[in-house]
Amino acid sequence: MLKITVWNEYKHEREHEDIRKVYPEGIHTCIASFLEKEEDFIVRTATFDMPEHGLTEEVLKDTDVLIIWSHALQEEFSDMVAERVKRHVLSGMGLVALHSAHYSKIMKKLLGTTMSLKWRHDDSEKLWCIVPTHPIAAGVPEMITLPKEEMYGEFFDIPKPDDVIFTGWFSGGEVFRSGCTFSRGYGKIFYFQPGHEEYPIYYMPEIQKIICNGVRFCAPVMPERICPDCEEVKH
Ligand code: ZN
């Protein structure tokens, strides 16, 4: 069984009526609902307002893959918790970072670059799968149309990814490395761009398939977590 924790800032959905209409119970609940349909997934959720953002040592020890969505509270996120998440990724926990979570402290700490990009509201996207042989692309169409999506464009200041599996093309002409994988320590990371909070993108079956594949890809391959600092088995 794969233990998955879906973490969401859960601010926009509570504060804006139009966003609440899209995700009445929050983005995390929407994502957890489709993940729970996978027979071998055990899913829990956590949000910013919980003590230690719900990402305690106990929760992370019991998590094979962490999914994060964040936007408005990046700076308010605890440095201590971000460092803890980083340590768990280096020790083998998988990480799937969605949409604006590129700019989270967790991603900045793990990848070491500014993570900046171009952006613009109210665009549409064609998401092209450019590595159909990659496990994250299994069962995914060659192109997915997102009728409404925020534009994220290059230059995206990330370190060179292990793989760029999806390229986004926006109606304004910009392109973006929309689905990238990275390795850090013993951990695998998948960054996936679609999912602006105003649009019902996480209800799309093709997007759900990619996130499920991303979780499976990022799952630890070693039976035990090993700290790369001390080579000690963590649990
Ligand atoms: Zn957005």
Side-chain angles (χ1 to χ4, degrees), residues 4-8 28-29 31-32 36 43-47 50 54:
I4 300 144
T5 300
V6 184
W7 187 88
N8 178 21
H28 54 299
T29 309
I31 292 173
E36 278 162 0
V43 186
R44 81 176 114 204
T45 61
T47 57
M50 295 166 76

Side-chain angles (χ1 to χ4, degrees), residues 135-150:
I136 296 180
V140 174
E142 178 184 50
M143 194 272 286
I144 300 166
T145 298
L146 307 176
K148 283 194 152 197
E149 177 56 304
E150 185 178 29

Side-chain angles (χ1 to χ4, degrees), residues 69 71 99-100 121 149-150 152 195-198:
W69 194 103
H71 180 234
H99 189 56
S100 37
H121 283 306
E149 177 56 304
E150 185 178 29
Y152 273 15
H196 182 66
E197 67 275 6
E198 291 175 289

Side-chain angles (χ1 to χ4, degrees), residues 16-226:
H16 300 281
E17 178 70 34
D18 49 339
I19 297 169
R20 190 158 54 244
K21 274 185 194 155
V22 182
Y23 294 109
E25 320 253 347
I27 284 173
H28 54 299
T29 309
C30 172
I31 292 173
S33 317
F34 67 75
L35 291 175
E36 278 162 0
K37 291 178 188 159
E38 303 288 304
E39 280 181 5
D40 56 336
F41 284 6
I42 299 169
V43 186
R44 81 176 114 204
T45 61
T47 57
F48 184 94
D49 283 345
M50 295 166 76
E52 300 181 43
H53 306 318
L55 299 174
T56 60
E57 188 66 36
E58 292 65 36
V59 167
L60 294 179
K61 267 187 181 174
D62 199 37
T63 298
D64 293 313
V65 180
L66 174 67
I67 299 176
I68 56 170
W69 194 103
S70 59
H71 180 234
L73 299 171
Q74 317 271 39
E75 279 310 304
E76 287 85 347
F77 194 93
S78 156
D79 286 315
M80 188 256 298
V81 176
E83 199 57 45
R84 179 188 293 152
V85 173
K86 175 184 172 183
R87 179 165 49 79
H88 276 273
V89 173
L90 295 179
S91 305
M93 183 181 74
L95 177 68
V96 176
L98 298 174
H99 189 56
S100 37
H102 72 284
Y103 223 51
S104 61
K105 281 185 182 172
I106 294 168
M107 285 293 274
K108 285 180 176 176
K109 277 177 185 290
L110 279 162
L111 298 189
T113 50
T114 68
M115 307 300 288
S116 62
L117 45 73
K118 290 195 178 70
W119 63 274
R120 181 179 59 245
H121 283 306
D122 295 327
D123 212 309
S124 63
E125 177 178 7
K126 289 187 188 303
L127 183 72
W128 290 91
C129 175
I130 59 169
V131 188
T133 52
H134 195 282
I136 296 180
V140 174
E142 178 184 50
M143 194 272 286
I144 300 166
T145 298
L146 307 176
K148 283 194 152 197
E149 177 56 304
E150 185 178 29
M151 185 278 287
Y152 273 15
E154 300 284 348
F155 175 58
F156 183 22
D157 183 22
I158 49 174
K160 191 174 179 182
D162 292 344
D163 281 302
V164 180
I165 306 147
F166 300 100
T167 299
W169 176 89
F170 294 84
S171 65
E174 295 88 353
V175 292
F176 191 68
R177 287 169 286 174
S178 294
C180 309
T181 58
F182 305 90
S183 309
R184 287 295 182 270
Y186 291 94
K188 287 190 276 183
I189 300 168
F190 176 48
Y191 171 72
F192 189 49
Q193 160 264 316
H196 182 66
E197 67 275 6
E198 291 175 289
Y199 313 126
I201 288 169
Y202 295 126
Y203 294 97
M204 295 175 65
E206 305 94 328
I207 297 296
Q208 295 179 354
K209 177 74 180 164
I210 293 169
I211 294 172
C212 282
N213 288 348
V215 166
R216 290 187 189 283
F217 176 78
C218 292
V221 286
M222 293 169 46
E224 289 159 323
R225 298 267 182 83
I226 296 180

